[in-house]
Amino acid sequence: MTNRIFYRELVELDHGIDNSGKMDKGSLIESSFKNDLCPICLAKIERYRYTDPDDDGYRPSGNWLIFDTLLHICNKCSWWHSTQEGLQNGTGQKVFSPYVYYPVIDKLDISTDTIALEDLKSNLLLRWDDRKLISAGKAESLVQSILKEHLSCDVYTATANANSPDGGIDLHVCSKNGSIISAVQVKRRIKRDSEPVSEVRDFVGAMVIKGFQKGYFVTTAERFTSVAQRIPNQLKEINSRLELELIDGQKLFELLKNDAKPEKLIVPPSVKLDSVWVAPDGHTLTTSQLIYGE
Ligand SMILES: [Zn+2]
């Protein structure tokens, strides 16, 4: 499964529900939730209730309404809509707010080469493990973009054609005046947790052959093997003019956090990310756990 949900904006339906609590006929919500099924993926809808814990119980006279927010959320794709229901002061009658909210969502395959870099970055901020699912080409674009920000330099692909042999160098880092000052190697790892020394040695060899003195080896693997980690210092110790910086998956994630904008969080109005929701069986989850799965 490489599809992910992206929440784009919040839609307000101002006559989404009538006084008796029925969804307005013909609306997206009415037609899709008739059977408690999600309109996107037809999975089951779960319901959660949020009662404002800061409500001090004070009610002015008249038809003051006490509202709870309900979240109706798909347990598969996380599409949701929210409604409000409450009790009329005095009569105790159940009432419904006419407003219904739901997000506009995109379902995107993050393993394709066509996914927008901004979407990829915001998704990786939430789910760094997804880096194992992205294409090698996108991994290169991602590193290019992150390094550009981190080094405040232009970073270009070393090869015009992504399918042609890269000669061990994927990206070129340029100085302010446009001259190429260092080389970058990017490895996107799917299964491997540590980057082996042989790959780093190959890169150092490529740097020498192409005449680079400075290089960055970037891997999406969690870490470099301990032997590989020693190479930058070994180069210094032998007074080599070569300068090598290793960037592992953890470091790359730190750089991403400095660079990427988090996805605009879309939640029902009147709740916060840490608001606590109660399921019919009594278990509780916060808004961010419910909607963003964390
Ligand atoms: Zn769904």
Side-chain angles (χ1 to χ4, degrees), residues 116-166:
L117 203 50
E118 292 311 306
D119 285 339
L120 191 62
K121 284 182 178 181
S122 63
N123 179 65
L124 289 173
L125 273 183
L126 283 173
R127 304 171 194 92
W128 180 235
D129 254 7
D130 278 1
R131 71 191 187 279
K132 292 170 184 161
L133 305 174
I134 67 180
S135 73
K138 269 294 158 185
E140 194 175 306
S141 309
L142 178 74
V143 169
Q144 180 182 8
S145 161
I146 290 174
L147 282 184
K148 193 173 169 179
E149 188 64 31
H150 174 56
L151 303 172
S152 305
C153 274
D154 279 333
V155 180
Y156 297 105
T157 53
T159 48
N161 179 353
N163 293 320
S164 74
D166 59 19

Side-chain angles (χ1 to χ4, degrees), residues 74-260:
C74 168
N75 63 15
K76 190 171 167 205
C77 78
S78 299
W79 190 81
W80 54 264
H81 78 278
S82 82
T83 55
Q84 286 194 308
E85 63 178 44
L87 296 174
Q88 198 163 28
N89 198 27
T91 68
Q93 201 188 344
K94 201 166 183 180
V95 285
F96 299 88
S97 160
Y99 293 99
V100 175
Y101 296 89
Y102 62 92
V104 173
I105 68 172
D106 274 339
K107 190 177 182 179
L108 302 174
D109 184 348
I110 54 157
S111 69
T112 64
D113 271 328
T114 51
I115 187 159
L117 203 50
E118 292 311 306
D119 285 339
L120 191 62
K121 284 182 178 181
S122 63
N123 179 65
L124 289 173
L125 273 183
L126 283 173
R127 304 171 194 92
W128 180 235
D129 254 7
D130 278 1
R131 71 191 187 279
K132 292 170 184 161
L133 305 174
I134 67 180
S135 73
K138 269 294 158 185
E140 194 175 306
S141 309
L142 178 74
V143 169
Q144 180 182 8
S145 161
I146 290 174
L147 282 184
K148 193 173 169 179
E149 188 64 31
H150 174 56
L151 303 172
S152 305
C153 274
D154 279 333
V155 180
Y156 297 105
T157 53
T159 48
N161 179 353
N163 293 320
S164 74
D166 59 19
I169 290 171
D170 294 324
L171 301 170
H172 288 154
V173 177
C174 294
S175 70
K176 296 265 184 290
N177 64 23
S179 60
I180 297 173
I181 51 171
S182 42
V184 182
Q185 174 69 288
V186 181
K187 291 291 179 193
R188 184 260 346 225
R189 297 304 186 190
I190 297 170
K191 293 218 172 81
R192 210 173 246 173
D193 280 336
S194 56
E195 190 66 38
V197 67
S198 55
E199 297 282 353
V200 180
R201 284 188 189 130
D202 282 352
F203 178 57
V204 172
M207 283 169 62
V208 172
I209 290 165
K210 304 258 168 142
F212 285 101
Q213 285 181 20
K214 171 135 183 131
Y216 299 86
F217 192 113
V218 186
T219 180
T220 63
E222 189 75 3
R223 68 191 90 82
F224 288 87
T225 62
S226 51
V227 188
Q229 282 173 34
R230 287 201 286 273
I231 291 191
N233 271 335
Q234 285 172 335
L235 290 172
K236 272 183 211 155
E237 282 161 15
I238 59 166
N239 281 324
S240 159
R241 290 169 68 200
L242 296 180
E243 201 185 322
L244 177 65
E245 188 174 331
L246 303 180
I247 298 178
D248 62 20
Q250 294 181 32
K251 176 87 191 289
L252 190 62
F253 187 44
E254 293 307 312
L255 297 178
L256 173 72
K257 285 195 265 188
N258 293 336
D259 167 36

Side-chain angles (χ1 to χ4, degrees), residues 21-41:
K22 289 212 174 67
M23 295 292 175
D24 267 8
K25 287 235 178 327
S27 75
L28 169 75
I29 313 287
E30 192 265 347
S31 59
S32 55
F33 280 84
K34 236 182 252 173
N35 305 313
D36 265 4
L37 297 179
C38 169
I40 315 283
C41 66

